[in-house]
Amino acid sequence: MSTKRAYAESSEQSEEITPFQTYEEVHLALQAARRGGHDDIARDTRRALLTSTCVMLPDAIRQAGVRLAVSLCAHPEADARKVSQTLAAALPDAAPSLRCEIYGALQRLQELKDVHLDLADNVRKDLNAAQPHVRSAALSILGTGASRFLDDAHAGVRLAALRAVRRQQLQSGILPETLYAVCVGAASDDAELVRLAAVDLVWAIGSRYADMETGRLRLVDDAFVRCCDLVGDVSARVRVRAATMLGRFRGVNVQQLAQTFNKKAVTQRAPRGYKGRNRGLRGQATPVGDSDARGARLLDAGAAGAFVHALEDEQFEVRLAAIGSIVELSRESRDFTTRAVDFLVDMFNDSSDAVRVASMRALVALGKVAPLQVTAEQLAIVTAALDDASARVRQRLYEVASCLALPSVTALQTLAQALGRSVVRHVEDQQFVYAALRQLGNNNAHCIGMQLARALLNISEHYLSREPRVDDASYAGVVVLLMNSHRQLTALPDYVFAHLPYLRDKHPGSLPPDVIDLVPTRLPHVRQMLERPAADSHAATLVRADARAFVTANVETIGTQLAAEEVDVDRLQAAAKAIAAEPLAERRELAIAQYADLAGLALQARQLFADSDALLRTRAIDLAARIMRGAYACDARTLGLDPAARRALAHLRLFAHAAWLAAHEPSAYDERVVRVMHDELHVRVGPKSTLQEGNFQSQLLQLIANFRPLSFVPRGQCQYATAEYLSQASRTLEASHRFPSRVRVHAKLRGVARRDRVRVRVTMPTQQAIVTMPRLDALRPCAPAGWILDWPAPVELPLGAGEPARVLSVPALIHPADAPWSDAFVVAAKPVPMDYDIADYYQLAPEGVCVDLAPPQSTSISAVEFRPPPSVHTRG
């Protein structure tokens, strides 16, 4: 059926449906299809087909119509077979570029909808086309026979042929072994993408016919050698793919695996252009089974040093892929695992955090099979890496340490002392260090005796030893190590055994279950204490249930107090402190506790205004500032508050505003400032405000006297915004007055829904706060409502600063202020001076109130004199 006849029949059936006339119309329809914004799928599909088959339209619009028709076929109601038939009918009269687009569309329909058409005549014609992109497109839907195009003159056609062969193998599982020599030749092709596709086929054929003999090597060994050779490819993408595919080989000869770590053979490795492999034109492979002297030498050197090459590659992606393959191949040979440990430990000094962590994970995976045997040099690398600034790296190092089998008592003592220093320096790593020491004691029980115990505990053979503190983290780690060796160390001082009951309950799981058997019989009271059952999971569940009931009871107390006529301030704040001190409190309960504390402060301020003493009212300025800051902090940092809870916080801010105004004498105001503050308070109270201008001060006191906190019951789950510093700020920086310096803030933010609310606040020595908004690309999403902030905040030194200036930097959230100008004064807790300039007052208005997400980091900036670099025109 010709194209014109198909278009005529489609027009008769569609009646009023007309094709798209411009590219913009098709583009908008394509975007709507990807968003799922089409109501009538059948009508839109017919219109797209009319556009693709209309010979009066330019080819660019027709190609866009083909893409639109394929996108609409993703909908269940679309008739994919009819679309395929219509597009196939348009092939004979289509231009080359349109034919390529149609072939691509038919291939996608085959994959998505399993629609197969007989296109042998069209494909046969286009496979002999002069245009290489037409031949490549025809190969995309070719079922069989694509291998004869692997020697095509154009790289795109060779790539399409390799992909067609791979697709055929995935669909039917048929991959003839005769293609191996051709794929090996393609692995040395000039085109990067061809070599990239050939790597997969070399592995697939070599694994499929693993035991087939090729003269001197089995096919799987030969394929492994070929992939090892590609690890030294000039393209980084090919090197990454080759290093990844090495880990997928199974049943490789042990000698070939051992050669991958042979450093000496790397220097003897033949270059890529060595004529022993390609004696003629590029792409013609050496026949399988070639066993002449030069060919045998090359095969021997092909796998040698492959992983040495990959682990020293300049691209960290290649190093990561090599580490993953080493872990997979370690299951094949124990000797390979032993060789791999040496190189993986060397990767601890890599410049990339990802590579260091990956090498540590690899060692942990190897250590789970059998303890890792390390030398003194390797142990020195491990202990030196324990000072890493990254908590993630240190935690992986502790896992590596738990898998080590040390050769001597001295080595075990060195590692134990290094772990002791680490647990003192990094208190947050305590549980990870104790877990490492527990496993270390199990793996190295043969090295643990009284000699090591005296050295670690600093016990003298001639003098009495001083009893260490039971809460000393380093001492507790030594006891964990010694007890988990299950050795009868009865010569230890009695205080070591007396500390065991405390350490068992303080650090659950650190001591062995049968620790009572290690206590000497001369200490019956210690054995009696250890016979008491430990806090098991059931007891822990009961403790958590009691804590939950305790928190719930305090929440109910807060609700009862807020609903009562007369609120007991002491009881309200006591319940709030009890919830805040309980570690098992949820985010919603913490928000309730914070609100209760603010409500208690508001009631205290109300009591101050009930007294006639004017001096007591001045204290209300500080209370109003605390209430305002706390209400904004609770509102900004608690994600998930419902409108009723937000109204309760806004009600507290209204009270703080009124209390701050009432705490000042009317004569202390500039008349223009008073007007703006009163206007903002009117807006804050709402349209039903009864505040009058004549008796404004008395009505403020009446508003404060009638204040009652609203009920605060957040619905659903809440998240609390926090920030965790990922790297410490630079302790010292040098800057010039002419050029601003930059303080880097690198932190992980949690519970932040909108990144446009994130700010970085830098406080200067003059207490001036500089708030900057990071660029959007400085905030990288890492989790739901989680971001990684990496922003260098600009800092300008004040003129005349000779001594080093200490600045504080902290990530913060900006919250829109209810009354921007008034809240700026209230939050700062500063009275308004008599001679305050109204122009400065309006300039003070910020975009909102900044709420800190973490304690600030301190940086010292030293002022240096700026000296331009010397030039060739400068006289000496």
Side-chain angles (χ1 to χ4, degrees):
M1 182 173 60
S2 65
T3 305
K4 295 182 179 180
R5 187 170 54 187
Y7 173 71
E9 292 180 2
S10 301
S11 300
E12 293 174 359
Q13 295 175 0
S14 58
E15 297 177 356
E16 75 282 358
I17 298 178
T18 58
F20 296 100
Q21 298 300 322
T22 62
Y23 184 83
E24 287 76 14
E25 294 180 5
V26 188
H27 182 67
L28 292 175
L30 185 60
Q31 288 183 335
R34 290 171 178 172
R35 293 193 305 265
H38 284 266
D39 298 330
D40 192 348
I41 298 298
R43 181 181 181 279
D44 295 335
T45 304
R46 281 184 291 168
R47 192 177 184 190
L49 291 176
L50 284 175
T51 305
S52 61
T53 56
C54 181
V55 296
M56 306 300 295
L57 294 174
D59 286 344
I61 299 179
R62 297 179 65 185
Q63 293 176 29
V66 173
R67 293 193 293 270
L68 176 59
V70 175
S71 299
L72 292 173
C73 285
H75 197 277
E77 298 179 1
D79 190 352
R81 178 165 291 278
K82 182 178 179 181
V83 173
S84 299
Q85 293 173 351
T86 305
L87 294 178
L91 276 173
D93 300 332
S97 58
L98 182 58
R99 291 209 303 273
C100 294
E101 191 69 42
I102 292 176
Y103 278 129
L106 293 176
Q107 178 194 0
R108 289 192 292 272
L109 291 177
Q110 287 181 3
E111 296 174 353
L112 294 175
K113 298 291 185 177
D114 197 21
V115 177
H116 298 272
L117 301 178
D118 186 8
L119 303 174
D121 296 337
N122 294 324
V123 172
R124 190 180 304 109
K125 175 183 175 182
D126 289 331
L127 286 177
N128 298 321
Q131 299 87 351
H133 59 281
V134 176
R135 300 199 302 273
S136 301
L139 282 171
S140 63
I141 62 171
L142 186 64
T144 57
S147 58
R148 60 190 178 92
F149 293 91
L150 291 175
D151 57 351
D152 193 276
H154 195 272
V157 179
R158 297 197 298 272
L159 176 61
L162 285 173
R163 290 176 175 174
V165 172
R166 181 62 171 163
R167 185 170 58 253
Q168 175 190 353
Q169 184 263 335
L170 293 175
Q171 293 176 355
S172 61
I174 301 174
L175 195 61
E177 66 278 8
T178 55
L179 293 178
Y180 180 73
V182 181
C183 294
V184 169
S188 58
D189 196 277
D190 291 331
E192 174 190 0
L193 295 179
V194 175
R195 300 197 303 273
L196 196 63
V199 175
D200 293 350
L201 285 174
V202 169
W203 166 79
I205 299 176
S207 300
R208 176 69 175 80
Y209 305 98
D211 295 330
M212 192 180 98
E213 296 292 336
T214 61
R216 192 174 57 86
L217 294 175
R218 295 184 307 154
L219 193 61
V220 65
D221 296 333
D222 189 79
F224 183 78
V225 170
R226 305 291 181 179
C227 288
C228 288
D229 189 48
L230 288 173
V231 172
D233 194 89
V234 68
S235 170
R237 296 176 61 186
V238 177
R239 298 199 301 272
V240 171
R241 191 59 181 169
T244 303
M245 298 306 294
L246 288 178
R248 300 188 180 183
F249 281 94
R250 295 294 180 267
V252 181
N253 191 351
V254 177
Q255 295 180 355
Q256 298 290 349
L257 291 178
Q259 285 183 353
T260 57
F261 287 121
N262 191 341
K263 290 184 177 180
K264 185 177 181 180
V266 173
T267 58
Q268 301 174 357
R269 193 172 189 175
R272 179 173 292 282
Y274 177 67
K275 297 298 183 180
R277 188 181 73 181
N278 296 328
R279 299 169 183 264
L281 297 176
R282 189 177 181 88
Q284 296 178 357
T286 303
V288 176
D290 188 6
S291 58
D292 64 351
R294 288 177 296 178
R297 176 186 174 186
L298 181 60
L299 287 178
D300 289 339
F307 283 124
V308 179
H309 231 23
L311 292 176
E312 296 175 353
D313 197 276
E314 61 181 0
Q315 300 292 333
F316 78 94
E317 294 90 349
V318 181
R319 305 197 295 272
L320 286 175
I323 291 173
S325 295
I326 288 174
V327 176
E328 295 295 329
L329 292 176
S330 297
R331 306 172 183 175
E332 303 291 321
S333 170
R334 181 61 185 170
D335 180 64
F336 180 85
T337 303
T338 304
R339 294 172 180 265
V341 170
D342 186 20
F343 289 89
L344 291 176
V345 172
D346 287 341
M347 299 306 292
F348 288 3
N349 299 321
D350 195 272
S351 59
S352 172
D353 284 352
V355 176
R356 296 203 300 272
V357 172
S359 62
M360 295 169 191
R361 287 179 176 174
L363 286 174
V364 172
L366 300 181
K368 290 181 179 179
V369 179
L372 303 176
Q373 304 289 338
V374 294
T375 62
E377 180 182 358
Q378 296 167 359
L379 181 62
I381 296 176
V382 174
T383 55
L386 289 174
D387 296 331
D388 199 285
S390 174
R392 184 179 63 163
V393 174
R394 293 198 306 272
Q395 291 175 11
R396 294 299 176 185
L397 274 172
Y398 301 144
E399 296 180 8
V400 172
S402 65
C403 301
L404 299 182
L406 301 175
S408 62
V409 177
T410 305
L412 181 58
Q413 179 181 348
T414 302
L415 181 57
Q417 291 174 347
L419 290 173
R421 291 190 298 269
S422 181
V423 76
V424 173
R425 188 181 303 110
H426 307 286
V427 183
E428 65 276 12
D429 298 345
Q430 191 177 85
Q431 59 176 340
F432 303 102
V433 174
Y434 290 163
L437 289 170
R438 181 179 68 248
Q439 193 62 34
L440 201 62
N442 292 330
N443 296 338
N444 301 272
H446 61 284
C447 297
I448 297 178
M450 284 305 303
Q451 176 185 357
L452 178 65
R454 292 192 185 96
L456 294 178
L457 295 173
N458 296 322
I459 300 175
S460 174
E461 297 183 5
H462 308 287
Y463 303 99
L464 292 177
S465 302
R466 182 178 180 181
E467 180 178 353
R469 293 174 56 90
V470 69
D471 56 351
D472 186 352
S474 179
Y475 164 73
V478 173
V479 176
V480 170
L481 173 69
L482 297 177
M483 294 299 109
N484 279 278
S485 66
H486 299 278
R487 302 291 296 272
Q488 293 291 338
L489 304 175
T490 55
L492 288 175
D494 292 348
Y495 60 77
V496 175
F497 300 102
H499 294 162
L500 292 180
Y502 170 81
L503 295 177
R504 184 193 64 173
D505 296 337
K506 177 68 175 179
H507 309 290
S510 297
L511 298 179
D514 55 348
V515 66
I516 189 174
D517 298 334
L518 305 178
V519 180
T521 56
R522 67 176 184 271
L523 302 172
H525 62 286
V526 177
R527 299 175 66 92
Q528 183 179 2
M529 294 176 65
L530 289 174
E531 289 176 353
R532 174 178 52 85
D536 54 6
S537 58
H538 178 67
T541 303
L542 294 178
V543 171
R544 286 194 296 269
D546 293 341
R548 180 61 60 209
F550 173 77
V551 172
T552 304
N554 283 282
V555 170
E556 294 177 355
T557 300
I558 291 175
T560 304
Q561 286 295 313
L562 293 177
E565 292 294 333
E566 292 296 333
V567 181
D568 188 347
V569 178
D570 295 336
R571 188 175 180 187
L572 184 69
Q573 293 185 331
K577 292 180 181 179
I579 294 176
E582 178 55 51
L584 295 177
E586 296 179 353
R587 302 302 182 190
R588 169 181 171 273
E589 295 162 345
L590 290 176
I592 294 175
Q594 189 173 2
Y595 178 82
D597 185 54
L598 296 175
L601 295 177
L603 294 174
Q604 290 179 10
R606 188 184 69 176
Q607 184 63 33
L608 291 178
F609 285 99
D611 299 331
S612 58
D613 191 354
L615 294 177
L616 294 178
R617 294 187 180 183
T618 58
R619 294 177 49 194
I621 297 177
D622 181 62
L623 290 177
R626 293 173 59 185
I627 295 170
M628 186 70 75
R629 285 195 298 265
Y632 273 120
C634 184
D635 204 345
R637 299 186 65 176
T638 308
L639 181 62
L641 289 179
D642 56 287
R646 295 190 182 277
R647 281 195 299 271
L649 292 171
H651 189 59
L652 280 179
R653 294 195 289 268
L654 168 64
F655 172 82
H657 188 175
W660 190 84
L661 287 174
H664 293 83
E665 292 295 332
S667 58
Y669 294 100
D670 184 280
E671 182 180 355
R672 295 165 297 177
V673 176
V674 172
R675 171 66 58 185
V676 177
M677 288 187 172
H678 290 181
D679 290 344
E680 287 189 338
L681 187 61
H682 278 287
V683 174
R684 201 166 207 161
V685 173
K688 298 182 180 180
S689 172
T690 58
L691 298 176
Q692 303 296 329
E693 295 185 4
N695 54 354
F696 187 81
Q697 193 71 11
S698 61
Q699 292 191 33
L700 274 180
L701 297 176
Q702 187 66 25
L703 186 149
I704 294 172
N706 296 333
F707 168 77
R708 288 188 52 78
L710 300 180
S711 177
F712 186 81
V713 185
R715 307 294 180 184
Q717 298 293 329
C718 296
Q719 297 185 32
Y720 198 66
T722 58
E724 176 188 357
Y725 293 107
L726 299 180
S727 61
Q728 297 294 328
S730 301
R731 295 184 178 179
T732 57
L733 292 175
E734 292 184 351
S736 171
H737 300 297
R738 299 185 181 183
F739 301 98
S741 180
R742 290 186 177 271
V743 177
R744 183 188 180 211
V745 179
H746 189 203
K748 182 177 183 180
L749 311 183
R750 298 185 180 90
V752 179
R754 298 177 54 179
R755 60 177 174 177
D756 59 329
R757 296 281 181 88
V758 178
R759 299 291 186 273
V760 173
R761 181 165 64 182
V762 179
T763 305
M764 303 300 295
T766 58
Q767 301 305 315
Q768 178 189 4
I770 302 175
V771 180
T772 58
M773 178 180 179
R775 294 197 309 266
L776 294 182
D777 57 355
L779 286 161
R780 178 168 48 87
C782 61
W787 311 89
I788 298 295
L789 171 64
D790 193 355
W791 172 246
V795 177
E796 295 185 3
L797 287 179
L799 292 177
E803 297 295 330
R806 184 165 297 277
V807 299
L808 302 177
S809 58
V810 60
L813 285 179
I814 193 76
H815 190 280
D818 304 336
W821 290 278
S822 299
D823 290 353
F825 281 109
V826 178
V827 170
K830 295 180 180 179
V832 182
M834 279 289 296
D835 55 348
Y836 198 81
D837 189 0
I838 191 65
D840 295 338
Y841 178 76
Y842 278 99
Q843 291 177 2
L844 178 68
E847 56 177 335
V849 177
C850 258
V851 177
D852 295 348
L853 297 180
Q857 288 185 319
S858 177
T859 303
S860 179
I861 300 182
S862 301
V864 296
E865 181 182 357
F866 172 73
R867 296 180 179 178
S871 63
V872 295
H873 303 289
T874 305
R875 295 183 178 271

